[in-house]
């Protein structure tokens, strides 16, 4: 196999790949054996027609497409191994020449990793992040914990109040006619939750158990049921049960029930430490993002369109894998959201563009500062990966080929670039 590379504008390149005639001959013969059982010829049983007879009747080109499809993936992979340029897009393949007895030639139009003009990355200015935690933040966290541990108490001696949990029966009417889907029995509704149509829940405030009440609403113009959108409706409702939240007392007993501590003061001190730790982590990530954004904004980056398209499709595949882990497939997701594959790909454009820019500037910083992962850092990363995969380190190392190792080392150098930029940044 031979490879020629023609660099073009906008970080594009054309790879011309030539496959020896002997490999083409073998691929044509393989195509014949794969397809001979599908071809009927008078005087021969299916699968018994000689190749020469088929080519005479249908033309010698009959097996060319199948042979090309067999050859192209392997030949392209070998070309990638031979090519010293970094290719960052899927190839656009075109067959140039295919003729039995002659070399097979095809081209692959690809995007190369673009050169960027790296801007300022030392001393970038970012806002100062405050890691302190106020008493109000501690109190808010405690209130959330009290809410999680609240008891629901049945009340019978008063009417519905905002925040109550109710059990209701209801039936909806438009022009005095009941409509489909407008009836419910023993329905659990928390007043103020915004579960029902705007205005419905607030009108239940003051309702008494066992007494029917009429609730007047107007369906939103964009309501999902088109036959109800924008229409006035009356719901006849009856409250059957009222429950209210009873929050636990804020004392040592509460602290001992929700934590490992015996006193409220100890619980508060631990909660404050955890809130500070969480804020430090969040602020660290925000500072990293701000620093990287500053470098990107000061750098000149032109992303070739095929590189962006490849990244978008790759992100859709990642998304597909993620929802599959949740028990959904892409078709189901499209049904729920009203999207299709094309609109999803376009939806990924801003994220894909940002992801590429981040990768390019960090790789450029790593290269300029010669930030390379040490053997110890690499081994630590393998140990971390093995732990997350619940595998033995030795078994994981056996599965890591040279390309994977290069990718891991590149990822580590990129992380070092982030640390370098942040370390050399200036807060203001």
């Amino acid at each position: 196999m031979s490879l020629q590379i023609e660099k073009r504008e906008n970080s594009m390149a054309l790879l011309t790949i030539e496959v020896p005639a002997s490999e083409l001959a073998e691929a044509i013969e393989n195509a014949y054996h794969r397809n001979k059982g599908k071809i009927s010829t008078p005087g021969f049983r299916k699968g018994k027609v000689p190749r020469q007879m088929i080519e005479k009747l249908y033309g010698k080109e009959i097996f060319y497409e199948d042979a090309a499809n067999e050859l192209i993936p392997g030949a392209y992979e070998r070309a990638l191994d031979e090519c010293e340029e970094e290719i960052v897009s899927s190839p656009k393949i075109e067959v140039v020449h295919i003729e039995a007895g002659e070399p097979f030639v095809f081209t692959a139009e690809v995007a190369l990793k673009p050169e960027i003009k790296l801007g300022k990355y030392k001393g970038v200015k970012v806002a100062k992040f405050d890691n302190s935690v106020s008493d109000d933040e501690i109190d808010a966290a405690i209130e959330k914990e009290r809410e999680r541990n609240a008891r629901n108490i049945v009340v019978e001696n008063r009417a519905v109040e905002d925040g109550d949990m109710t059990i209701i029966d209801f039936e909806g009417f438009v022009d005095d006619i009941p409509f489909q889907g407008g009836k419910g029995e023993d329905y659990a509704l928390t007043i103020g939750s915004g579960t029902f149509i705007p205005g419905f829940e607030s009108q239940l405030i003051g309702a008494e158990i066992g007494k029917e009440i009429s609730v007047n609403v107007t369906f939103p113009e964009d309501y999902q049921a088109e036959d109800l959108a924008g229409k006035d409706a009356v719901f006849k409702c009856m409250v059957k049960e009222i429950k209210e939240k009873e929050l636990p007392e804020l004392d040592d007993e509460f602290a001992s029930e929700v934590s490992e501590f015996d006193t409220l003061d100890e619980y508060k001190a631990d909660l404050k430490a955890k809130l500070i730790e969480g804020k430090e982590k969040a602020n660290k990530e925000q500072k990293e993002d701000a620093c990287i954004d500053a470098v990107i904004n000061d750098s000149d980056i032109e992303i070739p369109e095929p590189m962006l398209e490849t990244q978008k499709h790759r992100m859709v595949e990642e998304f597909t894998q993620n929802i599959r882990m949740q028990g959904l497939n892409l078709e189901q997701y499209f049904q729920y959201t009203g999207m299709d594959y094309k609109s999803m790909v376009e939806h990924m454009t801003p994220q894909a563009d940002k992801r590429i820019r981040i990768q390019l500037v960090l790789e450029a910083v790593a290269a300029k500062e010669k930030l390379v992962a040490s053997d110890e850092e690499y081994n630590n990363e393998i140990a971390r990966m093995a732990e997350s995969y619940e595998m033995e380190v030795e078994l994981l190392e056996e599965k890591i080929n040279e390309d994977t190792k290069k990718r891991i080392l590149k990822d580590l150098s990129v992380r070092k670039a982030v640390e370098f930029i942040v370390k050399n940044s200036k807060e203001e």
Side-chain angles (χ1 to χ4, degrees):
M1 190 203 78
S2 66
L3 169 67
Q4 293 181 350
I5 303 173
E6 177 191 341
K7 290 188 178 181
R8 296 180 169 180
E9 293 181 347
N10 302 321
S11 301
M12 298 297 294
L14 188 70
L15 312 184
T16 301
I17 302 164
E18 183 177 301
V19 180
S22 58
E23 292 187 31
L24 176 60
E26 183 179 349
I28 292 173
E29 183 68 14
N30 292 341
Y32 160 67
H33 287 293
R34 280 194 298 271
N35 292 282
K36 64 181 181 180
K38 306 173 188 175
I39 299 173
S40 299
T41 302
F44 294 93
R45 286 181 295 148
K46 271 192 175 181
K48 300 297 181 180
V49 187
R51 176 181 154 188
Q52 293 80 1
M53 177 65 71
I54 296 172
E55 291 177 337
K56 183 176 180 181
L57 289 172
Y58 299 101
K60 61 182 179 179
E61 301 86 2
I62 186 172
F63 300 120
Y64 282 1
E65 182 178 353
D66 202 8
N69 290 336
E70 177 185 325
L71 288 172
I72 288 172
Y76 179 71
E77 285 299 319
R78 296 199 301 273
L80 289 184
D81 292 338
E82 184 178 327
C83 180
E84 295 181 356
E85 301 291 339
E86 187 171 350
I87 295 172
V88 293
S89 74
S90 300
K92 182 179 179 181
I93 302 293
E94 185 175 335
V95 174
V96 175
H97 182 76
I98 182 168
E99 181 75 29
E102 299 178 12
F104 169 53
V105 182
F106 69 96
T107 58
E109 186 180 39
V110 295
L112 304 180
K113 180 180 176 180
E115 293 184 9
I116 73 169
K117 293 179 181 177
L118 189 61
K120 180 180 180 180
Y121 62 91
K122 292 180 183 178
V124 296
K125 296 180 180 179
V126 293
K128 188 173 184 178
F129 292 93
D130 183 8
N131 294 326
S132 63
V133 172
S134 67
D135 290 341
D136 288 342
E137 289 174 295
I138 297 171
D139 291 342
I142 291 175
E143 283 305 305
K144 284 184 180 179
E145 194 62 43
R146 291 180 74 199
E147 288 281 348
R148 281 194 287 268
N149 288 273
R151 293 190 304 160
N152 296 324
I153 307 298
V154 176
V155 295
E156 298 177 344
N157 58 353
R158 66 166 175 80
V160 174
E161 296 179 0
D162 193 19
D164 283 344
M165 289 153 285
T166 64
I167 301 296
I168 65 171
D169 290 345
F170 62 88
E171 185 172 14
F173 299 83
V174 172
D175 297 330
D176 295 326
I177 300 173
F179 55 87
Q180 187 176 3
K183 186 175 183 179
E185 294 182 354
D186 295 329
Y187 189 91
L189 176 65
T190 298
I191 307 303
S193 64
T195 305
F196 268 34
I197 304 162
F200 184 99
E201 295 167 24
S202 61
Q203 292 181 61
L204 288 179
I205 296 174
E208 297 179 359
I209 294 175
K211 293 184 179 181
E212 188 176 282
I213 181 174
S214 293
V215 173
N216 298 283
V217 298
T218 301
F219 284 98
E221 293 292 343
D222 59 351
Y223 192 68
Q224 56 190 7
E226 294 182 3
D227 57 327
L228 297 175
K231 292 187 177 180
D232 295 329
V234 177
F235 283 86
K236 294 181 180 179
C237 307
M238 180 178 291
V239 178
K240 301 172 75 174
E241 185 178 81
I242 303 172
K243 291 181 180 180
E244 65 179 3
K245 282 185 180 179
E246 183 179 77
L247 298 177
E249 291 294 327
L250 192 57
D251 52 21
D252 290 345
E253 183 180 351
F254 167 74
S256 65
E257 288 177 353
V258 300
S259 74
E260 60 190 80
F261 302 100
D262 296 325
T263 68
L264 184 60
D265 288 341
E266 289 176 309
Y267 171 58
K268 283 186 175 182
D270 179 69
L271 184 58
K272 181 176 182 178
K274 288 178 178 176
L275 289 173
I276 291 174
E277 182 182 356
K279 185 171 282 192
E280 286 175 344
K281 182 180 178 182
N283 286 345
K284 178 177 181 291
E285 292 174 355
Q286 289 186 53
K287 185 174 181 179
E288 288 177 355
D289 291 343
C291 287
I292 294 169
D293 285 343
V295 179
I296 289 173
N297 293 335
D298 200 45
S299 300
D300 187 5
I301 309 170
E302 290 191 16
I303 301 173
E305 189 61 30
M307 183 183 189
L308 183 61
E309 286 299 313
T310 298
Q311 182 64 48
K312 288 192 286 186
H313 287 283
R314 187 176 295 143
M315 291 173 68
V316 171
E317 289 303 313
E318 290 175 5
F319 180 80
T320 303
Q321 292 176 13
N322 289 337
I323 63 170
R324 190 177 292 133
M325 293 173 65
Q326 301 171 29
L328 283 176
N329 59 44
L330 206 55
E331 288 303 318
Q332 290 171 319
Y333 179 80
F334 289 156
Q335 290 175 4
Y336 297 149
T337 62
M339 298 180 74
D340 56 22
Y341 188 86
K342 183 179 179 181
S343 61
M344 172 170 274
V345 170
E346 287 310 305
H347 180 72
M348 294 290 184
T349 299
Q351 301 170 57
D353 182 89
K354 182 68 175 291
R355 187 180 290 190
I356 291 171
R357 291 178 188 277
I358 290 172
Q359 188 71 20
L360 289 175
V361 297
L362 293 179
E363 288 179 3
V365 171
K368 194 162 186 178
E369 294 295 328
K370 297 180 174 58
L371 303 174
V372 180
S374 65
D375 290 341
E376 181 182 2
E377 289 169 327
Y378 174 78
N379 292 332
N380 288 340
E381 178 65 9
I382 296 302
R384 185 198 64 79
M385 292 171 62
E387 183 178 359
S388 67
Y389 298 150
E390 298 182 350
M391 294 175 62
E392 295 293 330
V393 172
E394 294 76 13
L395 181 59
L396 179 59
E397 287 178 331
E398 290 176 5
K399 295 181 177 295
I400 295 176
N401 57 29
E402 194 60 34
D403 286 340
T404 303
K405 183 175 181 179
K406 286 180 181 178
R407 179 180 57 77
I408 294 171
L409 289 170
K410 178 183 280 190
D411 288 345
L412 290 172
S413 69
V414 162
R415 287 185 211 171
K416 291 172 79 73
V418 175
E419 293 169 2
F420 181 90
I421 295 169
V422 173
K423 183 179 179 181
N424 288 277
S425 66
K426 295 179 180 179
E427 292 184 340
E428 59 178 10

